[in-house]
Amino acid sequence: MQLDESEDVLKEQSEYIEYVRSWNDEYYRKNNRRRKAFCLTMGCQMNAHDSEKLVGYLEDMGYEMTNAEKGADFVIYNTCCIRANAEEKVYGRLGWLKTYKHKHPDVIIAMCGCMVQQDTVMEQIRRTYNFVDVIFGTFNLYTFPKLLATRIQSGSSVYDIWTKSKKIVESMSAMREHKFKASVNIMYGCNNFCSYCIVPYVRGRERSRKPEDIIKEVEALAAEGVKEVMLLGQNVNSYGKTLENPVSFAELLRMVNEVDGIERIRFMTSHPKDLSDELIAAMRDCDKVCNYLHLPVQSGSSRVLEKMNRRYTKEKYLELVDKIKKEIPDILISTDIIVGFPGETEEDFKETLDVVDRVGYSTAFTFLYSKREGTPAAKMDNQIDEETAKERFNRLLEHVNSGVEKISETLVGTVENVLVEEINRQDKTMVTGRTERNSLVHFKGGEELIGQVVPVKITQNKIFYLIGERM
Ligand code: 5AD
Ligand code: SF4
């Protein structure tokens, strides 16, 4: 999409922002309080970043953000549907909202995100939760001001779900959670169709932003004092393939590495099938790119991987890990693992344990397989019973934890540069931050350190976090 097209889109929205803003200003003049907005975010970093954009809009529209749902005049749920429990949580909360809205009919309720991209969910909402005022999906987040303004003007519900769009809207403002670190979308959607995954159906086909737009955003963030950027995409390794002038992710990393003021570059998620030698070389060469890689394996069994449509084998994955460790010896690797995929046998599961033991992950996100209607895996035979899956899950955790403990032990005695994020929640005399390799560290320090990168000597291994002393 051309930038002038983005400008048109944003100009149109700005008229609606103005409209809602004056509606809210008038309320403020009459009541001496601002209408409050509450935003609940579920799911991945992509959603978290979308919520930053929503909050940016809400503040521009004259709302005051609140952390308390009760008492809010506007409530939005930015939903996730990757596993069934994420959806169940939303339905549970909608039950509460129904009563809340009954008591406070002026409250406006909105839903967006991945969950509402599914027809079955929309049917359910129309049937049972028709008190929801505004609904939009993952393709038209930028139309939120228009939809809200329409709801305010008309008094009736506005549901607008798109099933596809190639449009990428540039220059949307976002209210960042942190001043010193920021997420940057580099691409949207996914073309991989892993057989268990709903994402390609709710986020559509892969579309990459142009490198010049990405660099412009990163430069603007650096000018505002951001030190760490997280480049986001469902599968960053296939970045740029669909651009008019194709650019590889490795090339993009090298460009971002040149931006003055940025000290750390992270990215997620990498699909092992597309992780090129060129990317490994870029990670090795670029001083700002963190020596940390999230490399989801999903299963250690080549048989299961094939049924998952992952397009690599256990051997290929392990070879890749070896190659990365050889080029970047101090790298830490994390992963995602699914337990209980249809047809997974005890032997298959043992292969997963073997991969965990051999790779030595610094973190592993472990999930019980969740059947998602509409995906190929939902129709596969031999769905695993809950008891077996849970028992395997617990055994997997033991292996993961012992691997994490070993990795953390190797960090004791090292000096790590820690980007301080916040005052420790339990002990106010301490601060919490992350090392370049993404380990969580607590050490004695005060508020003035927030946003600074400071050298810290690691003194204790607490498995899931480290204790250190400022050098
Ligand atoms: N069931 C369980 N876990 C899933 N994931 C994706 N789909 C499912 C599913 N149906 C996990 C994968 C992915 C992570 C973001 O969520 O491990 O990498
Ligand atoms: Fe889902 Fe696979 Fe795409 Fe990741 S790569 S979003 S797991 S389909």
Side-chain angles (χ1 to χ4, degrees):
M1 171 183 208
Q2 302 299 311
L3 189 67
D4 51 348
E5 236 183 292
S6 283
E7 278 171 358
D8 281 351
V9 168
L10 292 176
K11 194 160 158 273
E12 190 198 2
Q13 293 308 315
S14 71
E15 286 161 21
Y16 294 108
I17 291 174
E18 245 347 280
Y19 173 82
V20 181
R21 186 167 184 101
S22 24
W23 179 70
N24 274 328
D25 285 349
E26 193 187 325
Y27 180 87
Y28 177 64
R29 278 194 298 277
K30 279 196 193 138
N31 300 282
N32 205 24
R33 74 175 270 279
R34 288 223 156 263
R35 284 201 180 93
K36 290 185 181 158
F38 171 86
C39 174
L40 172 78
T41 310
M42 312 186 85
C44 65
Q45 307 233 13
M46 198 71 80
N47 256 20
H49 190 39
D50 281 351
S51 284
E52 291 184 336
K53 294 176 189 168
L54 292 172
V55 171
Y57 270 145
L58 285 164
E59 296 200 336
D60 287 350
M61 290 189 286
Y63 282 100
E64 182 184 301
M65 294 309 297
T66 169
N67 289 327
E69 193 166 2
K70 206 168 160 190
D73 304 278
F74 176 83
V75 172
I76 184 159
Y77 287 174
N78 186 6
T79 61
C80 167
C81 60
I82 198 137
R83 285 169 289 276
N85 55 5
E87 290 191 355
E88 282 152 16
K89 226 193 233 165
V90 169
Y91 284 129
R93 293 185 77 127
L94 281 176
W96 178 85
L97 270 184
K98 193 171 191 168
T99 319
Y100 184 59
K101 172 110 177 168
H102 196 68
K103 280 196 211 141
H104 309 277
D106 289 340
V107 170
I108 296 182
I109 293 169
M111 276 178 85
C112 64
C114 296
M115 191 173 157
V116 297
Q117 285 291 149
Q118 301 166 93
D119 296 343
T120 48
V121 170
M122 285 308 294
E123 274 162 34
Q124 175 87 337
I125 290 174
R126 287 203 171 87
R127 238 191 347 255
T128 322
Y129 305 99
N130 60 5
F131 60 89
V132 179
D133 300 281
V134 179
I135 303 184
F136 53 95
T138 56
F139 296 94
N140 58 334
L141 184 117
Y142 64 90
T143 64
F144 168 45
K146 179 180 180 174
L147 302 177
L148 180 56
T150 311
R151 160 64 186 78
I152 292 165
Q153 275 167 340
S154 70
S156 353
S157 296
V158 181
Y159 296 174
D160 192 14
I161 309 288
W162 301 3
T163 51
K164 58 174 181 273
S165 171
K166 286 199 171 122
K167 222 178 238 181
I168 293 181
V169 174
E170 293 297 341
S171 314
M172 262 171 83
S173 65
M175 190 48 66
R176 278 182 282 114
E177 200 186 332
H178 299 286
K179 285 198 168 68
F180 48 88
K181 67 173 193 176
S183 298
V184 176
N185 290 118
I186 63 164
M187 60 195 301
Y188 302 90
C190 181
N191 286 355
N192 288 321
F193 292 94
C194 300
S195 63
Y196 50 80
C197 187
I198 191 108
V199 168
Y201 306 91
V202 294
R203 289 227 170 228
R205 295 296 64 71
E206 255 170 43
R207 348 321 147 242
S208 296
R209 284 177 73 193
K210 283 191 256 165
E212 55 270 31
D213 290 332
I214 296 170
I215 298 300
K216 219 191 291 167
E217 182 174 342
V218 175
E219 283 170 347
L221 290 168
E224 286 172 25
V226 166
K227 292 186 172 149
E228 179 178 305
V229 286
M230 166 73 91
L231 308 178
L232 287 180
Q234 302 296 348
N235 177 18
V236 292
N237 297 341
S238 65
Y239 168 79
K241 287 185 181 157
T242 52
L243 286 170
E244 214 174 302
N245 303 311
V247 175
S248 70
F249 181 54
E251 286 170 310
L252 180 72
L253 268 190
R254 288 183 191 270
M255 286 185 234
V256 179
N257 197 58
E258 294 302 311
V259 177
D260 283 340
I262 295 298
E263 294 179 27
R264 286 178 169 185
I265 303 165
R266 300 188 187 281
F267 56 86
M268 74 188 302
T269 293
S270 282
H271 194 304
K273 84 174 160 62
D274 303 312
L275 200 144
S276 63
D277 292 352
E278 190 202 0
L279 177 62
I280 300 174
M283 287 183 73
R284 180 198 59 204
D285 299 345
C286 295
D287 54 331
K288 297 176 186 172
V289 175
C290 293
N291 287 348
Y292 169 78
L293 179 67
H294 185 61
L295 193 64
V297 66
Q298 312 297 3
S299 167
S301 152
S302 298
R303 202 184 67 83
V304 172
L305 285 168
E306 195 182 344
K307 287 176 67 188
M308 286 179 163
N309 192 29
R310 291 290 288 178
R311 285 169 278 171
Y312 54 83
T313 59
K314 175 188 183 186
E315 290 69 32
K316 276 264 174 290
Y317 183 90
L318 290 173
E319 265 169 39
L320 180 63
V321 167
D322 283 346
K323 196 154 60 174
I324 296 165
K325 285 184 176 171
K326 192 160 153 254
E327 292 298 322
I328 311 165
D330 67 344
I331 197 154
L332 292 184
I333 301 175
S334 62
T335 202
D336 291 343
I337 300 171
I338 297 175
V339 177
F341 184 81
E344 180 189 74
T345 62
E346 178 61 23
E347 283 63 43
D348 292 321
F349 176 66
K350 283 196 176 128
E351 300 273 11
T352 300
L353 295 181
D354 186 45
V355 169
V356 170
D357 295 342
R358 282 160 74 165
V359 174
Y361 294 110
S362 60
T363 313
F365 300 92
T366 49
F367 307 107
L368 279 171
Y369 167 73
S370 171
K371 187 171 168 178
R372 306 282 58 212
E373 284 315 329
T375 63
K379 291 191 215 79
M380 287 180 187
D381 297 335
N382 295 323
Q383 300 278 333
I384 304 296
D385 66 90
E386 206 177 313
E387 204 183 319
T388 310
K390 281 198 174 147
E391 187 270 332
R392 286 181 189 159
F393 187 85
N394 291 337
R395 269 154 67 207
L396 174 64
L397 277 191
E398 281 172 24
H399 282 251
V400 164
N401 293 350
S402 102
V404 173
E405 184 171 7
K406 277 189 210 137
I407 294 282
S408 298
E409 200 51 43
T410 65
L411 300 175
V412 176
T414 61
V415 176
E416 302 279 331
N417 287 324
V418 175
L419 173 58
V420 181
E421 296 193 351
E422 58 188 13
I423 295 285
N424 188 293
R425 289 179 198 172
Q426 266 89 47
D427 179 346
K428 304 282 175 224
T429 67
M430 296 184 96
V431 287
T432 298
R434 289 209 176 253
T435 66
E436 190 198 313
R437 294 180 288 165
N438 213 30
S439 307
L440 198 63
V441 182
H442 305 302
F443 65 98
K444 284 266 178 242
E447 207 166 353
E448 70 288 353
L449 294 178
I450 294 176
Q452 306 291 320
V453 178
V454 289
V456 173
K457 181 161 186 178
I458 306 302
T459 52
Q460 284 178 62
N461 162 21
K462 300 278 187 182
I463 309 182
F464 297 110
Y465 63 91
L466 303 163
I467 301 288
E469 279 165 16
R470 199 178 165 192
M471 294 291 288

